[in-house]
Amino acid sequence: MKQMIFGVAIIAAMPFHFFKRHRSMKAVFYILSSIIGLTSCMERPDNSMIGLFKNKSNEQTKISQIKTDSVRNPYIMNYHNGMLVFGDIFQPKFISIFDGYNGDFLGDFAPQGVGPDEFVHIGNISYINDKISLWDAGKSTLTFAGIDHNNILSPTFQNIKIEEDTTLLSVFQVIPLQEDLFVATGIIKNHRFALLDKNGNILKRFGNYPKDYKPSNTDIENGAIYQSLLTSQNEKKVFAAACGIGESIMFYDINNKNNPHLIREFTFDHPQYDLTGDNEQPVIFSKDSKNGFIDIKSSSNYCICLFSGEVRTEVNDYGGNKILIFDWKGNPIKLIVLEQQYTNLAIDEENKRILLLGTSSETKDYIISEIELPEYTKKGSA
């Protein structure tokens, strides 16, 4: 079981251009090629995620002043306290830190390995207060790294082991809601989410899969089908979960941790798949499945999503060219259509920037573009 879930989690976190660029991933590339079918599906613009948004604009990004000469092979990205933070599975140390203003390389940490303060596979980078949080799917451990510009090479670590049991069979993603309260997704008995305490123990299992899901599927099957990206607004005590395949996003209020409740859900398209009956690889997705949410991050006022909503035409066709902005009540605020696809985003709230990681269509080198973070008004419009 654990092997299957770990494999699925890695695939979910890694853009497809990784598999094309690196011969070491060639076997995985061919496996993924065989999993994806050969058919296509019709667009439904009148009944889709992008159809929610009345406020729409086409915007040209500008190339950021952040230099990308030292950017290697990132698969996850975030921004914290003036630092641009990348995760890179192909380097001896997972985490690379760059100056968030000019892109100067500042240092790296989080060596790969199974020993103390080493990491097997970092599945997401979040932050809480002044700490960066790292979810290591390989060790089922959430790590808080105390880090600033002065101690990048020697951060302090606080490790919290997430214990799996008969109700939490396997964990895909964990993010902090507070320093002593976390939310997890994975294979969870009869539910989709779990609230965890400061020791990584379950406080509450809650939540259903997207509307019209198949309850006849097993927990293992639905957990694999509806893997999601997570982000939270910690002051408002709200989190969002967005599916990487299909078109579905949910917003949950956890002000009462004994009774988390759904604020709002938008589901328009489910993943297309076949069940295998094999718990090691329970589902095979077809090419009828749409790419959904590519990345999802939070600002004080908005949940900001990088979105595709399109069927992948090639195995290496991964990314999104749309920014979807919701407020923390789940209201759709603005749709921004970009000039090209990007694979990651990060929010620099201090300088009112949305940073976007992509590749040049001409050179295939990494580029970092940016657009302005929309202003917030009392009515919630951007």
Side-chain angles (χ1 to χ4, degrees):
M1 170 67 64
K2 185 148 181 137
Q3 271 189 327
M4 177 278 293
I5 298 308
F6 180 42
V8 173
I10 290 177
I11 291 169
M14 295 178 64
F16 270 73
H17 63 258
F18 277 10
F19 304 115
K20 183 179 181 183
R21 288 184 176 190
H22 298 277
R23 292 185 178 182
S24 62
M25 300 300 289
K26 189 173 182 180
V28 179
F29 176 76
Y30 284 126
I31 291 171
L32 292 176
S33 299
S34 65
I35 288 175
I36 304 231
L38 300 175
T39 57
S40 62
C41 70
M42 298 292 290
E43 292 290 322
R44 295 179 294 170
D46 57 337
N47 186 28
S48 65
M49 192 67 67
I50 62 174
L52 290 171
F53 294 85
K54 296 180 181 179
N55 185 1
K56 305 177 183 180
S57 66
N58 296 326
E59 296 190 17
Q60 186 74 30
T61 61
K62 67 176 183 179
I63 298 297
S64 175
Q65 294 182 351
I66 299 173
K67 299 187 294 288
T68 58
D69 296 349
S70 300
V71 174
R72 293 171 288 193
N73 297 287
Y75 66 102
I76 46 178
M77 178 175 87
N78 215 326
Y79 189 95
H80 180 58
N81 285 348
M83 297 179 290
L84 193 56
V85 185
F86 289 115
D88 186 346
I89 200 170
F90 295 106
Q91 301 300 323
K93 296 181 180 180
F94 271 110
I95 301 299
S96 302
I97 307 290
F98 294 82
D99 187 285
Y101 303 103
N102 58 29
D104 286 346
F105 177 69
L106 300 178
D108 53 13
F109 70 95
Q112 296 194 36
V114 296
D117 295 337
E118 294 181 335
F119 298 80
V120 175
H121 176 72
I122 295 176
N124 69 52
I125 303 169
S126 302
Y127 59 86
I128 188 81
N129 300 326
D130 61 345
K131 298 178 181 177
I132 294 173
S133 74
L134 307 172
W135 164 242
D136 186 348
K139 295 173 75 173
S140 196
T141 298
L142 185 67
T143 296
F144 291 108
I147 191 169
D148 57 34
H149 284 79
N150 299 316
N151 71 336
I152 288 173
L153 298 179
S154 56
T156 58
F157 289 133
Q158 175 191 358
N159 299 312
I160 298 154
K161 178 71 173 177
I162 309 302
E163 298 294 343
E164 298 171 352
D165 58 24
T166 56
T167 59
L168 184 60
L169 300 178
S170 188
V171 183
F172 295 164
Q173 293 285 344
V174 178
I175 62 167
L177 304 172
Q178 303 167 14
E179 287 195 43
D180 59 355
L181 184 67
F182 323 126
V183 65
T185 66
I187 306 300
I188 301 168
K189 186 175 181 180
N190 298 328
H191 293 280
R192 190 181 184 191
F193 306 106
L195 279 183
L196 310 174
D197 67 14
K198 64 181 180 181
N199 297 313
N201 300 315
I202 293 180
L203 292 172
K204 182 79 174 179
R205 290 176 291 122
F206 66 99
N208 289 320
Y209 290 98
K211 64 181 181 181
D212 300 326
Y213 81 101
K214 294 181 179 179
S216 58
N217 290 348
T218 67
D219 291 329
I220 294 172
E221 290 163 346
N222 278 327
I225 293 163
Y226 294 107
Q227 293 186 66
S228 59
L229 304 168
L230 301 173
T231 194
S232 65
Q233 213 301 320
N234 301 319
E235 293 179 0
K236 293 179 171 62
K237 297 184 179 178
V238 175
F239 78 87
C243 286
I245 301 177
E247 297 189 30
S248 180
I249 187 168
M250 294 178 172
F251 294 85
Y252 275 86
D253 184 313
I254 44 87
N255 276 278
N256 181 353
K257 60 187 178 184
N258 294 317
N259 186 30
H261 68 273
L262 179 67
I263 302 171
R264 203 152 192 190
E265 173 186 358
F266 298 107
T267 297
F268 294 98
D269 189 84
H270 290 259
Q272 306 299 307
Y273 60 88
D274 291 313
L275 300 177
T276 67
D278 177 6
N279 285 345
E280 297 299 316
Q281 184 186 309
V283 298
I284 296 176
F285 295 102
S286 79
K287 204 173 180 178
D288 284 345
S289 295
K290 290 182 180 180
N291 285 340
F293 289 82
I294 307 301
D295 202 355
I296 178 172
K297 296 295 194 305
S298 64
S299 71
S300 297
N301 298 306
Y302 295 126
C303 174
I304 301 171
C305 312
L306 181 61
F307 182 73
S308 171
E310 299 175 4
V311 173
R312 182 181 291 137
T313 57
E314 299 177 5
V315 172
N316 63 315
D317 176 25
Y318 182 85
N321 68 332
K322 305 169 190 72
I323 299 289
L324 308 185
I325 300 177
F326 298 85
D327 68 19
W328 286 108
K329 294 180 180 179
N331 297 312
I333 301 299
K334 187 175 184 179
L335 162 66
I336 301 172
V337 180
L338 306 171
E339 80 288 352
Q340 70 163 69
Q341 287 192 338
Y342 294 90
T343 57
N344 300 88
L345 65 77
I347 309 301
D348 174 9
E349 196 156 3
E350 180 182 359
N351 295 290
K352 299 179 181 178
R353 300 183 296 172
I354 300 174
L355 300 173
L356 297 155
L357 178 69
T359 55
S360 166
S361 59
E362 297 178 356
T363 66
K364 306 303 179 184
D365 293 331
Y366 286 107
I367 57 172
I368 296 177
S369 302
E370 59 183 70
I371 58 173
E372 184 178 359
L373 178 65
E375 294 283 353
Y376 179 77
T377 67
K378 290 184 179 181
K379 292 183 179 180
S381 60

